[in-house]
């Protein structure tokens, strides 16, 4: 759709991520072309071309795929949601496949693995993804897929990507890295040898809490073709308006991630040592922090006392949101009852620190 070198999704680009976020996925710069890719609402196309039908392709999808592909250093596919992307990956496995996955990961991903095992489609083994020796040991019986999420949602464990991806490659094991928390601004798993990168584009890539969308990125064209086939046949197709919103949000990805990450680091400094906390989880980068309170009640007091930060699930928006994760009955039982996941936004750090500071005092019964 575009011959602009920044927009080809070519794995080796001369541009840096900050530039690619702005330039990739644009129409060719010819007279009277719009700067932005238009939203194409189409269920069908004049026949005998590349697209044919709205479930097979859409020019607005292609623009976002060019942009996400350029940022991650591969070729992307957009899908209806992050979980549609998870489903598409699992749908490429042969029956009886063995999958090694983090015991703490996005709840919906774990649910898909559990249900797939219950239906006899695969066997999954859960590991502590931060325990590199344990993950390597778990790969030993014949393994088909190593599922990595790093940092994990919501436990914030960090995997040793270079070591795990190299070990999997040596053994011929396919790898997928859910890069939703880090974004390609902070971590590009394909550069470390991952076969696939997965995104809930609903989160940081979009950045404005107004669209649900997923993406997969790979350098393996045959694998991309199989995933594209799964998207078409499973019907996991995104709406063009959502795709447009995510592409629009993506333009500021580098700015947003940098600002939110700086806010998160500053908040950790200001919150640490508060008597209401038993632990303050922070992977050392990114915009997600997870204070752990002594019990569910203290965590709920904290969430209920915030005035600026909003009590809402999801993450990655410009606004700060938070929730106690174990309020969800299905959340993994080894996630502490008192863990609150905070998605730090781009508000002024002093306003954020004041709000969360008074909420910490309230949680400690000093409010
Ligand atoms: C939200 C999320 C998903 C699922 O994405 P949806 O867009 O909600 O379907 C997958 N992985 C992680 C890490 C997430 O945070």
């Amino acid at each position: 759709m575009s011959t602009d070198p920044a927009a080809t999704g070519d794995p080796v680009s001369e541009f840096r991520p900050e530039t690619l976020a702005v330039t990739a996925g644009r129409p060719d710069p010819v007279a009277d072309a719009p700067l932005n890719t238009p939203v194409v609402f189409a269920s069908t196309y004049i026949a005998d071309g590349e697209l044919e039908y709205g479930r097979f392709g859409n020019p607005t999808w292609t623009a976002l795929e060019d942009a996400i592909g350029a940022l991650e250093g591969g070729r992307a596919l957009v899908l209806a949601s992050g979980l549609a992307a998870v489903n598409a990956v699992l749908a490429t496995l042969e029956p009886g496949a063995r999958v090694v996955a983090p015991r703490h990961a996005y709840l919906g991903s774990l649910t898909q693995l559990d249900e797939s095992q219950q239906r006899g489609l695969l066997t999954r083994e859960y590991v502590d993804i931060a325990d590199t020796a344990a993950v390597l040991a778990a790969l030993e019986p014949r393994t088909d897929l190593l599922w990595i999420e790093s940092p994990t949602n919501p436990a914030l464990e960090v995997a040793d990507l270079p070591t795990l991806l190299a070990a999997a490659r040596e053994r011929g094991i396919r790898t997928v890295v859910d890069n939703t928390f880090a974004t390609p601004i902070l971590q590009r798993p394909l550069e470390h040898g991952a076969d696939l990168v997965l995104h809930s584009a609903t989160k940081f890539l979009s950045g404005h809490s107004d669209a649900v969308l997923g993406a997969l990125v790979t350098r393996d064209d045959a694998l991309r073709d199989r995933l594209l086939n799964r998207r078409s046949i499973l019907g996991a197709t995104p709406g063009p308006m959502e795709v447009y919103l995510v592409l629009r949000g993506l333009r500021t990805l580098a700015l947003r991630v940098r600002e939110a990450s700086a806010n998160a680091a500053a908040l950790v400094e200001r919150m640490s040592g508060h008597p209401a906390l038993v632990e303050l989880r922070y992977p050392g980068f990114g915009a997600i922090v997870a204070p752990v309170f002594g019990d569910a009640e203290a965590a709920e007091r904290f969430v209920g006392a915030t005035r600026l930060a909003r009590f809402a699930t999801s993450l990655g928006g410009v606004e700060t949101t938070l929730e106690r994760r174990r309020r969800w009955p299905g959340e993994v039982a080894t996630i502490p009852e008192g863990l609150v996941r905070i998605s730090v936004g781009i508000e002024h750090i002093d306003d954020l620190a004041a709000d969360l500071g008074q909420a910490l005092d309230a949680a400690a019964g000093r409010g």
Side-chain angles (χ1 to χ4, degrees):
M1 144 148 206
S2 171
T3 53
D4 188 88
T8 55
D10 186 333
V12 185
S13 170
E14 60 179 304
F15 294 121
R16 292 164 185 80
E18 291 80 356
T19 309
L20 292 171
V22 173
T23 57
R26 300 271 188 192
D28 287 340
V30 297
D32 284 338
L35 227 61
N36 289 299
T37 297
V39 194
V40 177
F41 293 105
S43 65
T44 191
Y45 305 92
I46 299 299
D48 281 345
E50 298 277 303
L51 295 171
E52 294 279 0
Y53 184 51
R55 192 155 29 75
F56 304 150
N58 179 294
T60 315
W61 301 356
T62 308
L64 180 61
E65 287 169 348
D66 285 347
I68 295 174
L71 281 165
E72 287 285 6
R75 291 180 67 215
L77 275 176
V78 290
L79 299 99
S81 67
L83 279 186
V86 172
N87 187 40
V89 174
L90 297 185
T92 63
L93 295 172
E94 298 299 325
R98 185 170 182 278
V99 181
V100 171
R103 68 192 171 116
H104 299 144
Y106 182 69
L107 192 51
S109 307
L110 298 180
T111 303
Q112 285 200 23
L113 286 167
D114 291 346
E115 290 182 359
S116 298
Q117 170 159 297
Q118 280 156 22
R119 294 170 61 206
L121 301 176
L122 54 80
T123 55
R124 46 103 184 108
E125 179 167 345
Y126 290 138
V127 290
D128 174 355
I129 204 71
D131 183 344
T132 303
V135 181
L136 294 179
L139 296 181
E140 272 321 322
R142 186 195 58 82
T143 298
D144 300 284
L145 178 68
L146 171 59
W147 194 281
I148 298 176
E149 190 176 292
S150 184
T152 57
N153 181 1
L156 295 178
E157 295 130 338
V158 175
D160 179 349
L161 286 188
T163 302
L164 295 184
L165 294 173
R169 177 147 298 230
E170 239 167 57
R171 294 163 171 81
I173 299 166
R174 182 176 296 159
T175 49
V176 55
V177 178
D178 186 328
N179 205 28
T180 298
F181 272 34
T183 84
I185 301 302
L186 303 177
Q187 171 172 287
R188 285 181 292 283
L190 297 181
E191 291 177 0
H192 296 296
D195 294 307
L196 270 170
V197 165
L198 185 146
H199 277 282
S200 170
T202 309
K203 315 292 171 51
F204 290 100
L205 298 189
S206 158
H208 294 75
S209 308
D210 54 7
V212 171
L213 199 81
L216 292 166
V217 199
T218 182
R219 291 178 177 176
D220 179 339
D221 287 342
L223 180 56
R224 186 181 182 280
D225 284 346
R226 288 175 64 198
L227 292 163
L228 188 147
N229 178 272
R230 289 300 83 199
R231 177 178 71 183
S232 299
I233 294 306
L234 298 171
T237 49
M241 193 65 207
E242 279 77 1
V243 171
Y244 176 83
L245 287 170
V246 173
L247 182 57
R248 182 177 163 125
L250 192 75
R251 300 301 181 203
T252 54
L253 178 70
L255 288 177
R256 288 185 285 104
V257 167
R258 207 179 294 138
E259 190 68 15
S261 299
N263 275 352
L267 274 181
V268 165
E269 214 158 89
R270 299 207 201 177
M271 291 170 73
S272 66
H274 193 283
L277 296 178
V278 295
E279 198 189 339
L280 184 52
R281 295 196 188 181
Y282 172 58
F285 63 99
I288 311 292
V289 302
V292 183
F293 297 83
D295 52 32
E297 291 69 32
E300 294 288 359
R301 279 202 301 279
F302 173 72
V303 172
T306 56
R307 295 172 195 145
L308 172 61
R310 291 289 175 228
F311 171 36
T313 197
S314 197
L315 55 103
V318 290
E319 60 285 302
T320 299
T321 55
L322 78 177
E323 69 172 338
R324 186 178 74 86
R325 277 304 299 180
R326 288 288 300 279
R327 80 189 177 94
W328 296 95
E331 183 57 276
V332 181
T334 43
I335 298 297
E337 281 280 3
L339 182 143
V340 174
R341 186 184 66 199
I342 306 179
S343 173
V344 180
I346 62 169
E347 302 92 339
H348 195 286
I349 181 59
D350 292 342
D351 294 333
L352 270 182
D355 185 43
L356 297 179
Q358 62 83 26
L360 281 176
D361 291 346
R366 304 192 312 197

